[in-house]
Amino acid sequence: MDEPLSEFEAGSPGPSSRRSPSPPAGQASVSWLRRTRERMSLRLREAVREPVPLTVLAVQRCLGDSGSGYSYEVTLWDGAEQDTWLLSPELRHLVQGNRLRCGCSVLVRCCSYRYLEKKVASGLVCIEELEPGQEGPPGEPQQLRAPASPLSGDRRHYLPLWNNEDPYGDMWRRREQGQDGGVDVTKVCSLQKLEMMGLSRVTLPPLLVRVMHKSRLRYFGKAEKRTDYPYQAYFEVADHSGMMSLVLWNSLCPEWYNTLQVGNVVLLHQYAVKKGYVCRTLPTPGNSQVKRLPSLEISLNARDPPPKITVLSESNVKSEWNLPAVKYQFVTRLEFNNLPHNRVCDVIGLVTYVGRCERLRKRDDWEDFWVYRWVQMIDGTSDQPFLLEIFATSQPDIFENICPMSYLVCTQMRVIQEYPDDTSYNAYLTTTNESQVFITGHHKGQPYTSDEKVKNYIKWMKTQNAAEIGQKTSVGGYHPYPPIPSTFSKFLNDRKTEEILITIWELKAMVEQLHYREHKRVAVQGIIAACTFVKNDSKTEMEQVLCGVSAVADHSVNILKRCADQLTPLKEAPNLVKRRKRTDSGGSPTVSKPENIMGTQHLGQEVNPESRESLHFEDEGAGCCAAESDASDETSCVSLSWENPLWSEVKQNVMEHLYYSKLFPESLTQKYDYKQKEIKDFLIQQYNLHPASVTSLTRHRPSLTSASTLGHYQLTILGLNQNIAIDVSLPMFENVSVFGKNYLPNHLQSAGTGINDEIQGRQWLSLRGELVEYARTRDRLHVICVLDICHLGESKVEVFLNRVYYPTIDCTD
C-alpha cells in the first residue's frame, strides 16, 4: 500500500496528452469501400447488391445542421482500407441504443453520395440502410485513421459520444507548464484595484493570480449558430487583495482548459473585463481569508483583444508576491454524519466499490445527457463508507479509470441529507459544477497533498493490508442509488418537476424510447401478484446469465426446513418438485401470452382460509445447464415462489404481460482483483460507457467471480385495471425490505465476507413474511412500486423494484 502514497509528496503533475495513432503502412490496393465510393460518386444513390462484412472502427458525433439534432460519422474497415461515411439521420437510433458501435460488424444495404458544394471536388458517402451485427471479423488494423474534424457541414470539431461536458480529441492537448526567467511584477495590478477601475478603461494592466477553483466545461452549441468552438469554463483566481472569476471562452477552451489547473500561478496580459454574472453557481472557498470580488469577471476570448497567458513554474513563484494558498475543507467519514444538507466539503479515501456509468437526460425533449457513476470509499475513521455520486467533471481520463483500491480525492462535493430524521434515508455526496476528481497516478504536485487530514489518511493507509481490503472490493451492477425517503409524499417532493407516477402502458412506451445507459426512476400503481426467489450456486452470476439460468444448491430446502418456524403462517416446509423449466435465451424483454412467470406448478396449501389466502411455496431441482452445449432444457434451478390468489384468477385474461425480470452481465456486481491486469481492464471497460473507437476496446472476456453469494427475486406487478402485468427484478441485499424499510448494500461488508446459506434463507423468509402479511390483509390493495429502469445497450433493458409504498399510508405525513 506504500507505493502509491509517494504521489502525495511534493512535486509537479506531469503533462497529459492524447496522441493520435500514425497511419498504417502498406495497405492493399483492392478495397470494397473504395470501389463503392467511386461507383456512388457517379450514381449518387443505389442499393448494394453484394454487401460484405465491414468492421466499425469508430463512431463520432457532431452537432448537425439546423433542426437535425446530432450527426454521426462511422469509420469502416473492409480488410484492406478504412473510410469514414456519414450515417443517415434515420439510423441515428442504432447509435443511441448502442446497436451500432465500434468493434461490431455491419452490412451496408443501401447508400448515397453527397457532394459538398462549398468544397472543390469533395463529397461523402451516406449510409441509408445498414444491418448491424455482433463482433467484427478478425484482423483489425493496428492504427485508426479517423478524420480530425467532421466531414459534413461547417462544424470544426467532434463531441464526445455520450455527453457534452468532456473534452474530446487531440485539440484538447495540455501545454507544458512553466516559464524559466524572471517575471516583471512592477506593473502588475491587484484584483481589488481592477474592480475599482470598473469598465472604464480599454487598456488594462497585467494581472498575477493563482487559480483557486476550476469548473467543468459548459458546451452551449446550437444548430442554428455557427460558433466554431461553443465552450465556456469558469476559473476562480486570486491574489493578495481578493478573488475574482475568470471566464475562458470558445477556441481558448481547447487550447487552455487542460493546461490551467488549480494551484497554477498565471500572468495575464491583454484581457477584457465584464460585469459579473450573478446567476451561476459559485464554489465554496476553503480559504476564508480571501475576499470575493463579485462585481466584475475577467473575460478571455481569442479576440477583442487576443490574450497573452503565461503559466509560471512553481519554482519561479516568490513568497513576496503574497499570493494566497489553495486551502481545502476535508472532512472524515466520522465528521460527515454531522454535516447539514447542502454543505460543501472535500473528501479523500480508498475506493472499495465503483458502479457502472449511467446517463441522465437533462430534459425530456433533449438528446443531451449527464454521465455519472456511484462510488464507495473508506478512510478509516468509521465502519461506514462514503457514498459518492460522481458526475463527469470534464476529466474523462480520470472519471473512466476510477477503480477499487485507488486513492480518490473529490473536491467541492455537496452533502445530500434532506431527511436527517428518516432512518431509511442514507446521506451521500454529489459533485458540483466546480468539483475536481483525482485518482492514483494524478495526485503528485496537487495542493491538497499538504493538508493535515490528507496526511492523516496517508498514515492510516500505511497500516492497512492491501490483500485484506482487496477481498472486499467490487465493481459494477445495479444498486438502488440514490436512496429514497420512507414516504411517497417525500419522494414526490424530491421530484417536483418530473412526471413520476405513470401507468404500466406508459412504462412500456418509455422503455422503447430509452437511449443507451439511460436511467429513469418512475412509480407505477398496481398489485403485487407473484414472487419467486432464485438463489445462486457456486457458478458465477455472469456464467448463469450467459447460460440463461440461475442454478442453486439442493440444500436450500434444508435451510427452509430449519427456518420454517420463523414464520407463523407457514405450516410445513416446501415440497421438492422436478420439472422442465422454460428458459429465455434472448437479450430483450419479450411480450407473449400471459402465463405464470415462475414456470412452476403450485403445490402449496391454504394457510388462512378465512382470508381467502392461497400461499404457494415451491422448490425446484434438476440437472445443470451448459452455455455452449446441446443439452436439453432440463435446467437446474431451486426456486421459492409465492402467488397472490388474485393472480391465479386473472393471469390468463390479461391483455399483455411484459417480461423485464431477466438479469444481464451489466446488472451484476463482480469481485475486483486489483492484481490481475486482464480482469481490471475488462471490468473497467464493461462498466464504462462503450468507447467511441476500437483503440480502447478489448474483446477477450476473462473468467469473473460474482461479488454476491445471494440470489435475486422476480416479482409480478398486476395493473390496477387487471389488463396488463409486468415482471421485474429485485436484487438480494442484506436486510432487504421493500415494504417500508429502505436498504443500502454495504459492499465493504457483503462483498468479501461470504454470506452463508443460513443468511440467504433468512433473507427469503424475511421478504416472504412480508408477502404473507400482504396477502392475508391486503391481497387486493393497491401499492405504489418505485422502479429503476436502465437501458444496457442493444435490446437489453433492466427493470428493478426499488421500493413499495402503500398509498393510503405513505402519501400523507
Side-chain angles (χ1 to χ4, degrees), residues 644-770:
N644 191 318
L646 175 62
W647 180 237
S648 302
E649 299 174 12
V650 304
K651 63 183 176 182
Q652 299 299 331
N653 298 320
V654 296
M655 297 173 57
E656 195 159 13
H657 193 160
L658 307 176
Y659 296 95
Y660 291 113
S661 60
K662 182 178 177 62
L663 292 187
F664 301 96
E666 296 89 342
S667 302
L668 304 172
T669 302
Q670 301 295 331
K671 288 185 177 179
Y672 184 83
D673 190 342
Y674 69 98
K675 294 182 179 180
Q676 297 192 37
K677 186 178 186 301
E678 180 186 52
I679 293 180
K680 287 172 55 178
D681 293 345
F682 175 78
L683 288 175
I684 289 175
Q685 175 186 300
Q686 172 165 289
Y687 294 113
N688 275 324
L689 298 172
H690 198 88
S693 68
V694 296
T695 54
S696 55
L697 188 63
T698 302
R699 292 196 184 282
H700 177 63
R701 181 186 293 273
S703 177
L704 303 175
T705 303
S706 172
S708 173
T709 58
L710 307 177
H712 69 281
Y713 302 100
Q714 298 174 346
L715 281 87
T716 300
I717 302 171
L718 178 64
L720 293 183
N721 294 312
Q722 303 177 16
N723 56 3
I724 188 172
I726 181 173
D727 291 353
V728 302
S729 293
L730 174 64
M732 186 66 165
F733 295 131
E734 292 182 77
N735 301 319
V736 59
S737 178
V738 297
F739 290 84
K741 183 198 295 184
N742 201 355
Y743 53 91
L744 178 66
N746 188 335
H747 300 281
L748 180 65
Q749 296 177 1
S750 64
T753 54
I755 305 300
N756 59 35
D757 294 327
E758 295 285 351
I759 294 179
Q760 294 176 24
R762 289 198 298 271
Q763 295 306 316
W764 161 250
L765 290 173
S766 174
L767 180 62
R768 189 176 68 178
E770 298 181 22

Side-chain angles (χ1 to χ4, degrees), residues 351-412:
V351 176
T352 56
Y353 167 76
V354 178
R356 67 191 180 201
C357 289
E358 295 182 353
R359 301 199 296 159
L360 190 65
R361 198 181 292 261
K362 294 182 179 179
R363 270 178 34 186
D364 287 342
D365 56 341
W366 284 17
E367 292 182 57
D368 295 338
F369 293 84
W370 299 109
V371 173
Y372 67 97
R373 71 192 324 162
W374 290 90
V375 174
Q376 287 188 18
M377 70 179 187
I378 58 175
D379 68 356
T381 64
S382 171
D383 293 335
Q384 296 297 316
F386 282 111
L387 178 59
L388 310 171
E389 181 186 34
I390 302 180
F391 285 84
T393 56
S394 302
Q395 301 169 284
D397 293 337
I398 294 178
F399 181 83
E400 295 170 3
N401 287 285
I402 300 175
C403 60
M405 303 301 290
S406 177
Y407 303 155
L408 175 64
V409 171
C410 299
T411 65
Q412 292 291 306

Side-chain angles (χ1 to χ4, degrees), residues 751-795:
T753 54
I755 305 300
N756 59 35
D757 294 327
E758 295 285 351
I759 294 179
Q760 294 176 24
R762 289 198 298 271
Q763 295 306 316
W764 161 250
L765 290 173
S766 174
L767 180 62
R768 189 176 68 178
E770 298 181 22
L771 292 172
V772 169
E773 181 65 24
Y774 173 84
R776 179 188 298 110
T777 61
R778 306 169 180 177
D779 62 340
R780 294 173 186 264
L781 178 68
H782 300 167
V783 294
I784 298 174
C785 298
V786 179
L787 304 177
D788 286 329
I789 308 171
C790 188
H791 190 297
L792 300 179
E794 301 177 67
S795 56

